[in-house]
Each structure stands twice: as structure tokens, then as C-alpha cells.
Amino acid sequence: MLQIPPMPDSAVLLDVLVSVNRLHSTLQQRVTEMLGSTGLSIAQWLLLCHLRYAAAGTLTEIAVTLHRDIGGLSRAAHLLQLRRLISVTRGAEDRRSFRLSISAPGIALCELLDQQIAERLTSALTASMGLQSVHALRHLMEGAAASLT
């Protein structure tokens, strides 16, 4: 009987990287399709979603939390501010510092997008994997990220 040797650790890591990359690109493509009608980029959507649940924060704090480039988030924030989806408040002591918060129209847009995402992406994932497995996947990904930082 032919025995298949176990995969070396480097091959397992490669498989994990390929799978994570595939999931990332597929999710990004699906979310981009849904955002098309709103005119939002993924960076703008992430910033809006973060502000919806975090209430407010500085650009630096948000960039660290979202693991995003501060320059890209700054451009996203500027465009969201022009659309009145977020508010920007300058610091009293340091005029270079400012806090971002979501506006009522921003909250309404997030709620609309939440509904669309739940209908398309969340339902597809839970139908194929089950809700408990989706939560387990998120937990595993967060744990892996934390262990590598």
C-alpha cells in the first residue's frame, strides 16, 4: 500500500497563504460589485463601517485598527466628507489632529449596504458552511493574525 508522506510545514503555510489570498480577492470582488451603485471604494466602505461601530476616532487610530495605509484612508475620509457621510472635527490643542465620526446619511448608507451584504454574501457563506463555521473561521483568522504580530 502506498503511503503519502505528510506535507512539510512550508507547504502547509503555502496552502494557507493561497487560500487566504483567494478568499480575500473573491470577497473584495463581490463587495466591489455591491458598492458599485453607491460610488464607494472598499477603503471608504471600511472606514464608514468602522465609524458606525466605533463612533469616532483619529485617522491614525483607525488606520491601525483596520490595518490600512493612512494615506489611502485620508483620501477616503476626504471623499466621504465631501459627500457628507462623515464629519471631521479638528483638535482644539493640535490643529493637525482631527476626529472622524459618521453622519446620519452615512449610517443610512451603511444600513442599506448591510442588508445587501447579508442577502448576498453572508447568506451564501452560511448556506454553504453554516453560521457556526463562519464564526469559527473568523476566530481562527483573528487568532492566526494575533500570533504572527
Side-chain angles (χ1 to χ4, degrees):
M1 177 191 279
L2 179 65
Q3 293 255 343
I4 299 173
M7 292 176 69
D9 291 345
S10 59
V12 172
L13 179 59
L14 177 61
D15 280 352
V16 168
L17 289 172
V18 168
S19 295
V20 167
N21 188 52
R22 204 165 104 215
L23 177 60
H24 177 262
S25 62
T26 303
L27 277 173
Q28 189 164 346
Q29 182 179 6
R30 296 297 173 260
V31 170
T32 299
E33 289 168 3
M34 285 185 269
L35 294 176
S37 64
T38 66
L40 293 178
S41 68
I42 288 185
Q44 291 170 333
W45 176 67
L46 287 172
L47 181 55
L48 269 182
C49 289
H50 174 78
L51 290 173
R52 180 177 176 199
Y53 295 111
T58 67
L59 198 56
T60 303
E61 293 166 348
I62 296 167
V64 168
T65 302
L66 296 178
H67 299 277
R68 301 292 289 201
D69 171 65
I70 196 163
L73 278 183
S74 178
R75 287 185 293 281
H78 175 71
L79 294 171
L80 291 172
Q81 182 185 16
L82 291 176
R83 292 179 63 180
R84 300 189 194 314
L85 297 173
I86 66 169
S87 301
V88 177
T89 308
R90 295 229 176 253
E93 292 111 30
D94 184 357
R95 299 294 293 163
R96 296 169 297 172
S97 176
F98 53 93
R99 295 189 66 72
L100 307 176
S101 57
I102 193 167
S103 65
I107 292 170
L109 183 56
C110 278
E111 288 174 357
L112 173 70
L113 289 169
D114 280 353
Q115 181 181 2
Q116 291 177 359
I117 288 169
E119 288 172 1
R120 295 182 189 165
L121 297 181
T122 307
S123 62
L125 283 173
T126 55
S128 66
M129 298 174 59
L131 185 58
Q132 190 172 12
S133 293
V134 172
H135 285 294
L137 175 62
R138 181 188 164 276
H139 179 75
L140 288 169
M141 292 174 71
E142 288 292 329
S147 69
L148 294 172
T149 55

